[in-house]
């Protein structure tokens, strides 16, 4: 992508900018099958120079494709640390290895661990069933009492479900819209699940509710240590989408559309159209608990529509109003004031004996895992930790980590080679060795879900965060890999500190053989402060994966 990234979000610091996104996905035409220009006169750093196997299993650079050696020996990486591991799935033989047991900042390659836990524990076919109970007395078409929506941790509540039951995604998800240009929306209705529940209530013969609608969010408590913070009810990723389109001429008001339109949210715009080529700068301001949203700034004439988002401050309250409005559209009148608070004090201790009048059933969990892995969906990855806690009969999200630990033990994954404080790989404490990630990948190859898991990863040159990479190279479609990045600012040197760019997954070597691999660099930096310079490093990692796939084993 030729447009520069906004610098401000990247300068928020490593913890906030530990982007799951591998920036190479945003490049356009920069990662092709062409060889990088080698720099043979440059000596490798001590971190990448071993020529013989060591006690930690390093095989050194000697057997690597010369194109990979040329990348690792670039002057740009003189202070950086490389890690690499490639193994043969048939016998576990190490094909290539550099510091396989050393901790590296994982970025979103950590999601290989955090998504695997719920996938195994819940099952690939697990579906979330979100029920709606009638709590009160019914007389014909009138319910005197409440409708209680019991949230179950459904990641999308139908807001991305296609007619065929699969979950839709775009290569750059709307959850990244405020940090990166080019994010787009899926066409599905974000209120689809809520609308379906409302229609089921009407089909059940209820046309009037003399009472209230209550969202029961007692499944687990939101944990602010997990950022973004999962909630039991999630609609549209707990975001309001704001799409600005330039007007017909410079000076004209820009056009605004937003979704999902739910009271009491109000959105206004003072964005003006400026001449083509002029800067596009849009600021989003939210007040009154996030319910009053205003856009200001400029958008260049003739430019593509620009997407921004604003957080939903009270997901349960938002869901309550959304359901009341959906009920009215379906022909069910609710007497309660929709602008009121979510009246959790009216919730019963349990729902034994209460009639269930509606339920929304999600696609299978494997579809959600695919969404999380393809677009590096941070909220979904953190949600998995909370869902693991629920399986342990706890409403405290940190209780999910022991469940994940037990799974890793059973899977033969050395969990002491990983450090996790979240599910997304964005906490400053998160670390993982190349070996632990390769062990996780190797585990899935021994299961009936091997192909399903592999194809849930971004595919080089095809989809997800690797869609725009390597479209013309021989490895296109033959690398299945999760990407990761951690990027912060370096104010001292007016450049960017690249904590990590990583990639890990499978190499299709033909004949049904899929090698597991990890490649990553920690401690790199860009020449200057232009965020597009990170693309060079990201492209290098993508091309290393491509060259590993193309190369014959030594």
């Amino acid at each position: 992508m030729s447009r520069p990234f906004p610098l401000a979000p990247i300068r928020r610091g490593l913890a906030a900018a530990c982007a799951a996104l591998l920036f190479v996905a945003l490049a356009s035409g920069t990662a092709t099958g062409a060889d990088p220009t080698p720099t043979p006169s440059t000596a490798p750093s001590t971190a990448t120079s071993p020529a013989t196997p060591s006690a930690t299993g390093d095989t050194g650079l000697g057997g690597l494709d010369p194109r990979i050696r040329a990348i690792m020996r670039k002057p740009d990486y003189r202070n950086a640390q490389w890690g690499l591991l490639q193994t043969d799935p048939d016998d576990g033989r190490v094909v290539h290895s550099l510091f396989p047991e050393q901790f590296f900042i994982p970025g979103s390659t950590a999601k290989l661990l955090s998504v695997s836990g719920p996938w195994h524990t819940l099952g690939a076919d697990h579906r979330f069933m979100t029920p709606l109970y009638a709590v009160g007395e019914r007389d014909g078409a009138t319910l005197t009492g409440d409708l209680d929506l019991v949230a179950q941790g459904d990641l999308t509540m139908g807001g991305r479900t296609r007619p065929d039951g699969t979950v839709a995604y775009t290569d750059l998800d709307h959850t990244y819209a405020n940090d990166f240009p080019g994010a787009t929306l899926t066409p599905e209705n974000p209120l689809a699940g809520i609308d379906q529940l409302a229609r089921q209530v009407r089909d059940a013969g209820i046309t009037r509710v003399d009472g209230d609608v209550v969202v029961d969010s007692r499944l687990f408590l939101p944990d602010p240590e997990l950022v973004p913070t999962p909630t039991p009810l999630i609609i549209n990723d707990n975001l309001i989408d704001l799409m600005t389109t330039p007007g017909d001429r410079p000076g004209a008001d820009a056009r605004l559309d937003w979704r999902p339109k739910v009271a009491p949210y109000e959105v206004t715009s003072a964005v003006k159209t400026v001449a083509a080529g002029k800067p596009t700068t849009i600021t989003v301001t939210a007040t009154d608990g996030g319910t009053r949203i205003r856009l200001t700034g400029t958008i260049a004439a003739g430019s593509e529509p620009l997407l921004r988002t604003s957080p939903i401050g009270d997901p349960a309250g938002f869901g309550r109003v959304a359901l009341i409005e959906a009920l009215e559209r379906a022909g069910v009148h609710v007497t309660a004031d929709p602008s009121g608070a979510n009246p959790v004090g009216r919730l019963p201790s349990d729902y034994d004996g209460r009639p269930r009048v509606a339920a929304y059933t999600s696609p299978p969990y494997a579809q959600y895992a695919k969404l999380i892995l393809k677009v590096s969906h941070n909220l979904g990855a953190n949600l998995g930790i909370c869902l693991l806690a629920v399986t342990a009969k706890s409403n405290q999200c940190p209780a999910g980590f022991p469940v994940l630990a037990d799974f890793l033990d059973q899977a033969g994954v050395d969990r002491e080679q990983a450090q996790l404080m979240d599910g997304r790989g964005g906490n400053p404490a998160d670390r993982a060795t190349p070996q632990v990630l390769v062990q996780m990948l190797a585990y899935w190859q021994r299961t009936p879900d091997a192909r399903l898991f592999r194809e849930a990863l971004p595919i080089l040159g095809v989809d997800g965060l690797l869609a725009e990479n390597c479209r013309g190279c021989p490895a296109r479609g033959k690398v299945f890999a999760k990407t990761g990045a951690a990027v912060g600012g370096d104010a001292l040197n007016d450049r960017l500190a690249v904590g990590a760019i990583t990639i890990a997954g499978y190499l299709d070597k033909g004949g049904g053989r899929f090698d597991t691999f990890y490649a990553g660099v920690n401690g790199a930096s860009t020449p200057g402060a232009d965020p597009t310079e990170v693309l060079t490093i990201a492209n290098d990692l993508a091309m290393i994966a491509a060259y590993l796939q193309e190369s014959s084993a030594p």
Side-chain angles (χ1 to χ4, degrees), residues 374-399:
K374 290 287 189 185
V375 308
S376 219
H377 196 284
N378 291 322
L379 181 62
N382 282 342
L383 175 63
I385 301 299
C386 300
L387 295 175
L388 289 178
V390 172
T391 68
K393 302 187 185 309
S394 173
N395 67 348
Q396 306 286 330
C397 291

Side-chain angles (χ1 to χ4, degrees), residues 370 374 450-459 463 480:
K370 184 176 182 179
K374 290 287 189 185
R451 179 176 178 180
L452 193 62
F453 183 84
R454 181 175 67 248
E455 294 181 353
L457 299 172
I459 303 173
D463 65 14
F480 305 77

Side-chain angles (χ1 to χ4, degrees), residues 274-313:
V274 295
K278 293 289 186 180
T280 292
T281 305
I282 295 178
T283 300
V284 178
T285 304
T287 57
D288 292 347
T291 62
R292 299 294 181 269
I293 301 170
R294 184 164 178 80
L295 285 73
T296 57
T298 60
I299 186 169
S303 63
E304 292 295 320
L306 183 69
L307 178 64
R308 290 286 184 262
T309 63
S310 187
I312 294 171

Side-chain angles (χ1 to χ4, degrees), residues 14-15 18 105-106 225 419-422 424-431:
L14 186 61
C18 208
I105 298 170
E225 294 299 316
Q419 298 174 174
L420 288 181
M421 283 295 293
D422 62 7
R424 62 173 284 198
N427 190 286
D430 291 347
R431 296 292 186 275

Side-chain angles (χ1 to χ4, degrees), residues 119-132:
W119 187 314
H120 169 81
T121 304
L122 299 174
D125 295 327
H126 175 80
R127 295 175 185 265
F128 298 87
M129 193 276 290
T130 303
L132 187 67

Side-chain angles (χ1 to χ4, degrees), residues 94-185:
V94 174
V95 180
H96 295 297
S97 176
L98 285 173
F99 304 107
E101 296 181 4
Q102 180 169 310
F103 273 133
F104 288 84
I105 298 170
S108 276
T109 53
K111 290 184 175 74
L112 293 170
L113 302 173
S114 63
V115 172
S116 293
W119 187 314
H120 169 81
T121 304
L122 299 174
D125 295 327
H126 175 80
R127 295 175 185 265
F128 298 87
M129 193 276 290
T130 303
L132 187 67
Y133 290 98
V135 180
E137 299 296 328
R138 182 170 173 182
D139 182 8
T142 299
L143 171 67
T144 303
D146 300 335
L147 289 174
D148 290 0
L149 177 64
V150 184
Q152 297 295 309
D154 187 325
L155 179 57
T156 71
M157 278 300 293
R160 294 179 185 250
T161 305
R162 301 184 181 102
D164 64 359
T166 59
V167 171
Y169 60 89
T170 62
D171 293 329
L172 183 56
D173 193 63
H174 77 138
T175 55
Y176 287 104
N178 289 351
D179 293 325
F180 305 103
T184 54
L185 297 173

Side-chain angles (χ1 to χ4, degrees), residues 135-404:
V135 180
E137 299 296 328
R138 182 170 173 182
D139 182 8
T142 299
L143 171 67
T144 303
D146 300 335
L147 289 174
D148 290 0
L149 177 64
V150 184
Q152 297 295 309
D154 187 325
L155 179 57
T156 71
M157 278 300 293
R160 294 179 185 250
T161 305
R162 301 184 181 102
D164 64 359
T166 59
V167 171
Y169 60 89
T170 62
D171 293 329
L172 183 56
D173 193 63
H174 77 138
T175 55
Y176 287 104
N178 289 351
D179 293 325
F180 305 103
T184 54
L185 297 173
T186 60
E188 286 71 26
N189 173 16
L191 297 176
I194 296 296
D195 286 342
Q196 187 178 125
L197 287 169
R199 290 192 296 268
Q200 289 181 33
V201 172
R202 180 63 181 84
D203 292 343
I206 297 174
T207 60
R208 181 180 177 88
V209 177
D210 282 336
D212 216 323
V213 169
V214 192
V215 172
D216 186 339
S217 289
R218 293 177 291 187
L219 185 70
F220 60 81
L221 298 173
D223 185 344
E225 294 299 316
L226 299 176
V227 180
T229 303
T231 51
L233 181 66
I234 297 171
I235 297 174
N236 201 45
D237 299 312
N238 291 340
L239 296 172
I240 300 294
D241 294 317
L242 310 161
M243 186 69 80
T244 299
T245 303
D248 297 331
R249 63 187 185 284
D253 292 338
R255 295 186 291 273
L256 172 69
D257 194 13
W258 62 282
R259 71 174 203 183
K261 291 183 172 68
V262 172
Y265 279 74
E266 293 182 3
V267 181
T268 58
S269 174
V271 177
K272 292 291 185 180
T273 305
V274 295
K278 293 289 186 180
T280 292
T281 305
I282 295 178
T283 300
V284 178
T285 304
T287 57
D288 292 347
T291 62
R292 299 294 181 269
I293 301 170
R294 184 164 178 80
L295 285 73
T296 57
T298 60
I299 186 169
S303 63
E304 292 295 320
L306 183 69
L307 178 64
R308 290 286 184 262
T309 63
S310 187
I312 294 171
D314 178 9
F318 183 88
R320 171 185 175 270
V321 178
L323 182 53
I324 290 175
E325 292 179 348
L327 287 165
E328 294 287 350
R329 290 194 296 271
V332 181
H333 177 63
V334 180
T335 60
D337 180 2
S339 65
N342 185 41
V344 294
R346 299 169 66 100
L347 291 172
S349 59
D350 58 57
Y351 295 94
D352 291 346
R354 314 282 188 183
R356 191 183 77 188
V357 294
Y360 175 75
T361 302
S362 76
Y365 178 77
Q367 282 291 313
Y368 285 164
K370 184 176 182 179
L371 167 67
I372 296 167
L373 294 170
K374 290 287 189 185
V375 308
S376 219
H377 196 284
N378 291 322
L379 181 62
N382 282 342
L383 175 63
I385 301 299
C386 300
L387 295 175
L388 289 178
V390 172
T391 68
K393 302 187 185 309
S394 173
N395 67 348
Q396 306 286 330
C397 291
F401 286 105
V403 182
L404 177 58

